Amino acid sequence: MHTRLIGTSKTANTAEYSQETTILVHRDEASGDSRSDLHLPVAPAASTAGKSTTGSGTVNTLPIGTQIHEFKITDVIAIGGFGIVYLAQDLSLGRYVALKEYMPTSLAERTQGITVAVKSAHQADTFNAGLRSFINEARLLAQFDHPALVKVYRFWEENGTAYMVMPFLEGITLQKALAEMPAPPDEPWLKELLAQLLDALEVIHLDNCFHRDISPDNILLLGNGRPLLLDFGAARQIIGNMNQALTVILKPSYAPPEQYADTPDAKQGAWTDIYALGAVIYCAITGKPPAPSISRVMNDNLLPLTQTAAGRYSQEFLHAIDRALFIRPENRPQSVAEWREALFLKGVTPATAARETPTTGQKKNLWPKIAVVALLLSALGVGAYLMFKAQSSRETVRPPIAATITIAKDESPTASSVTEVQPFDPIKALDRVFEQRNRDHPVTVTTERSVVKIGRDKLRFRVHSPKAGYLYILMVGTDRNHFNLLFPNAIDQNNQMSSGKEMSLPRAGWAMTAGGPAGTNHFVAIISENPRDFSAAGLIAVDPFGEFPADASARMTDSSPSPFAGTPVCSLPENCSAAYGATTFSIQEID
């Protein structure tokens, strides 16, 4: 389905706006038990409302319909040993969110109404330590802003316990995705995964924070292929140190030896997360995780990947994974930057390009399969397209650009160069525009409806900025073949905003009606101090909107600064600021 314009003189209704909504939840495939991690559930858990039982004992869930502040519980998504995740409706903003409640079932129970109390006095210190850690985890996640990290909207203490509110996303765990693949993923696939996860780890490591619970079931793959790092297991670690068996708080195959005893001689750090992520890649390549590190301390018989996977991956790549799995922390890469360099994630050299070709029968691109599985599993598989009537002639969906490799005419090793043009992913282009924003210039967007009905509902939103500037809206449709400059456009060109004011879109003269198929429209709102020109990104006029052609855009994806953010236009070039604020948002569409 293409994008079409419906011209109208009716102004947008700005009442009852709400923000974007998304959630993620997960069921542990290995044990069959639900956990409090935020992943995708196998099936709705509404029947578990009230008192239910799991392998860890009786769980007192809040009844459906319970309201805590503006959040009304509509379902029980997942139950774990240390918390319960609910699907809740945010009544003030008209969106659905994930509400996570701290509820260690072995230590506490629900007493009167929604109040949580410790079962016995001698367990109070352990319960309170976990409660503090739960709040610290929420505070930690709330301060980070990265596409591969979970967002926390809000957290607070009340009713003898604590709560955090998070978005609702769809996807499947890496553990399940690997099980669905017909063959181990190839090197480019794994490098793409690693590049995004390492960027996220680097963000938290800069704040001296370490994940310490990385595993395939704590990595979610969203429908667009983007990985999301889940479950910062701090609460489980603190409780485990005080009262629980180590096997409860550690995943033996992914935890390095220093996590079994955090002493001065076994200090945890970036190398701890690097071991765990190395074990994840080892599992992806071999089909099984490495032996538990505590057993390897006594007798390390783990064969290196440079032997067991030779010929299927480059030796440089395999050696970097082997290094991450060294038992002694000082022998592993000491930082994300060091490991990234060893993995050659900054570029592919001519010497290794041939070795990165997939083995016979192996699928080159497995993301589409993962996306399809995510949509089939999701109970809320929704998304969006815009209907723009003037575009009725553009029915053809463009196929992705095929990857090509070009070798320079001089075949000598010193003169050879490799240029790999990957299929253009406009979602990544949007992410780069957002990442290069000025973080001192906050921009917020509120959508009237975050979920709309195809053929019926209008798509409307409003943008706010504390600083004056010029507003630009970039949009990517669900098919990821249409990448548009939505605003300003041929109908509405006045994009100047005053400081502290809001702009509601669409304005008079144009409207957006959900047109299907079901999916998600992704947006970036830019507010720039100066007007911006997008011609360097190949923008063409497709009345009334501008469009970035995929064939030209594919060669500009990694340019810095991103050409898709435009270049400033000033009367005095020597004083021309290129800074801009930006935010992302999405609107989903259902049948």
Side-chain angles (χ1 to χ4, degrees):
M1 180 70 68
H2 59 280
T3 34
R4 294 175 289 173
L5 171 72
I6 295 179
T8 177
S9 59
K10 185 178 181 180
T11 58
N13 177 10
T14 59
E16 300 179 359
Y17 282 85
S18 65
Q19 292 181 346
E20 152 191 16
T21 55
T22 44
I23 266 187
L24 22 143
V25 284
H26 165 66
R27 183 179 298 277
D28 192 325
E29 299 290 344
S31 66
D33 292 336
S34 296
R35 299 178 49 197
S36 57
D37 309 347
L38 295 181
H39 304 228
L40 185 71
V42 172
S47 61
T48 63
K51 284 194 174 183
S52 58
T53 58
T54 66
S56 58
T58 300
V59 178
N60 293 278
T61 61
L62 292 168
I64 302 301
T66 301
Q67 185 171 333
I68 303 175
H69 294 285
E70 67 269 34
F71 303 104
K72 182 178 180 181
I73 292 175
T74 62
D75 203 353
V76 179
I77 296 173
I79 302 170
F82 296 93
I84 303 172
V85 180
Y86 304 93
L87 179 64
Q89 184 179 9
D90 184 339
L91 299 176
S92 66
L93 295 176
R95 63 181 179 181
Y96 283 90
V97 295
L99 175 65
K100 185 175 181 179
E101 178 188 36
Y102 173 63
M103 184 64 178
T105 56
S106 63
L107 306 175
E109 61 185 353
R110 210 172 300 283
T111 55
Q112 297 179 352
I114 61 177
T115 302
V116 174
V118 181
K119 291 180 179 179
S120 61
H122 77 273
Q123 295 174 317
D125 288 344
T126 305
F127 176 88
N128 290 332
L131 180 64
R132 289 194 302 271
S133 187
F134 182 94
I135 289 294
N136 288 339
E137 180 181 1
R139 181 178 291 112
L140 184 72
L141 288 170
Q143 75 184 42
F144 293 128
D145 186 4
H146 189 277
L149 296 175
V150 177
K151 293 181 182 293
V152 170
Y153 292 146
R154 180 182 170 189
F155 59 92
W156 72 96
E157 291 185 62
E158 192 177 12
N159 304 320
T161 186
Y163 309 89
M164 69 173 84
V165 179
M166 293 157 289
F168 184 62
L169 299 172
E170 60 181 358
I172 61 172
T173 63
L174 177 62
Q175 176 178 311
K176 185 167 182 61
L178 292 173
E180 295 284 339
M181 294 181 183
D186 59 19
E187 187 168 327
W189 193 95
L190 291 172
K191 283 187 171 182
E192 178 67 20
L193 179 76
L194 277 169
Q196 298 179 70
L197 292 175
L198 286 178
D199 283 349
L201 286 178
E202 195 164 40
V203 167
I204 67 173
H205 288 179
L206 288 174
D207 274 10
N208 201 34
C209 168
F210 309 103
H211 189 283
R212 300 184 292 191
D213 196 18
I214 299 172
S215 62
D217 63 328
N218 276 343
I219 298 170
L220 194 83
L221 300 178
L222 303 182
N224 62 5
R226 175 165 59 91
L228 198 68
L229 193 57
L230 306 171
D231 192 17
F232 276 65
R236 283 187 289 164
Q237 173 145 13
I238 288 180
I239 292 176
N241 287 343
M242 299 182 66
N243 197 42
Q244 300 292 320
L246 287 169
T247 53
V248 173
I249 63 156
L250 297 176
K251 296 185 178 72
S253 294
Y254 302 96
E258 64 266 24
Q259 279 192 260
Y260 287 83
D262 193 7
T263 65
D265 294 331
K267 186 178 179 181
Q268 298 182 37
W271 49 88
T272 304
D273 284 343
I274 287 172
Y275 181 99
L277 193 51
V280 168
I281 303 303
Y282 179 98
C283 180
I285 291 174
T286 65
K288 59 182 180 180
S293 64
I294 198 67
S295 67
R296 294 178 59 208
V297 170
M298 304 300 296
N299 180 25
D300 190 4
N301 56 9
L302 184 71
L303 293 176
L305 290 173
T306 49
Q307 295 180 23
T308 60
R312 296 190 290 128
Y313 305 85
S314 69
Q315 284 293 297
E316 294 87 350
F317 179 73
L318 295 176
H319 178 65
I321 304 302
D322 287 337
R323 276 190 61 198
L325 291 173
F326 285 159
I327 288 295
R328 296 195 62 82
E330 64 270 22
N331 293 335
R332 300 176 217 141
Q334 298 296 289
S335 67
V336 166
E338 181 183 345
W339 198 33
R340 185 189 287 119
E341 184 175 354
L343 288 162
F344 289 97
L345 292 181
K346 292 183 178 180
V348 179
T349 63
T352 62
R355 287 194 291 270
E356 293 183 348
T357 303
T359 55
T360 303
Q362 189 171 339
K363 293 190 176 182
K364 176 68 177 178
N365 186 357
L366 296 170
W367 288 124
K369 179 177 178 62
I370 294 170
V372 169
V373 172
L375 291 173
L376 290 175
L377 287 175
S378 175
L380 296 174
V382 292
Y385 258 114
L386 306 185
M387 291 180 62
F388 298 116
K389 192 172 183 179
Q391 300 302 310
S392 58
S393 61
R394 297 169 55 236
E395 293 285 354
T396 303
V397 176
R398 301 189 183 99
I401 302 170
T404 59
I405 296 181
T406 304
I407 307 294
K409 289 184 178 180
D410 187 345
E411 298 294 341
S412 63
T414 57
S416 297
S417 62
V418 176
T419 303
E420 185 172 356
V421 181
Q422 298 289 348
F424 177 56
D425 186 348
I427 301 296
K428 290 184 179 180
L430 286 183
D431 288 343
R432 282 180 56 80
V433 171
F434 175 68
E435 290 166 2
Q436 294 174 11
R437 72 195 186 283
N438 175 9
R439 295 175 185 266
D440 294 329
H441 182 175
V443 178
T444 58
V445 171
T446 305
T447 60
E448 183 181 80
R449 288 188 178 93
S450 58
V451 179
V452 293
K453 288 282 189 178
I454 295 172
R456 188 187 74 182
D457 294 334
K458 297 290 193 296
L459 284 70
R460 304 185 181 107
F461 52 89
R462 59 185 181 182
V463 185
H464 177 270
S465 170
K467 299 182 181 181
Y470 295 83
L471 173 62
Y472 299 88
I473 305 291
L474 304 180
M475 182 208 72
V476 175
T478 300
D479 67 356
R480 300 171 81 166
N481 288 318
H482 295 98
F483 185 14
N484 294 94
L485 176 62
L486 183 67
F487 179 78
N489 52 58
I491 295 174
D492 192 352
Q493 298 183 3
N494 182 14
N495 66 330
Q496 193 166 2
M497 291 184 63
S498 301
S499 60
K501 301 294 185 181
E502 287 185 339
M503 182 179 292
S504 298
L505 294 174
R507 294 188 295 204
W510 61 292
M512 296 182 290
T513 300
T520 302
N521 273 328
H522 299 271
F523 302 84
V524 166
I526 297 171
I527 297 183
S528 171
E529 178 181 340
N530 296 298
R532 306 186 80 85
D533 176 71
F534 294 83
S535 58
L539 185 72
I540 59 174
V542 182
D543 188 40
F545 305 108
E547 182 168 343
F548 301 104
D551 53 352
S553 298
R555 293 169 175 80
M556 295 183 285
T557 300
D558 297 325
S559 301
S560 187
S562 172
F564 303 110
T567 55
V569 178
C570 307
S571 56
L572 297 175
E574 62 273 13
N575 296 318
C576 191
S577 172
Y580 61 87
T583 190
T584 61
F585 65 104
S586 64
I587 299 177
Q588 300 175 324
E589 185 176 307
I590 60 176
D591 294 320

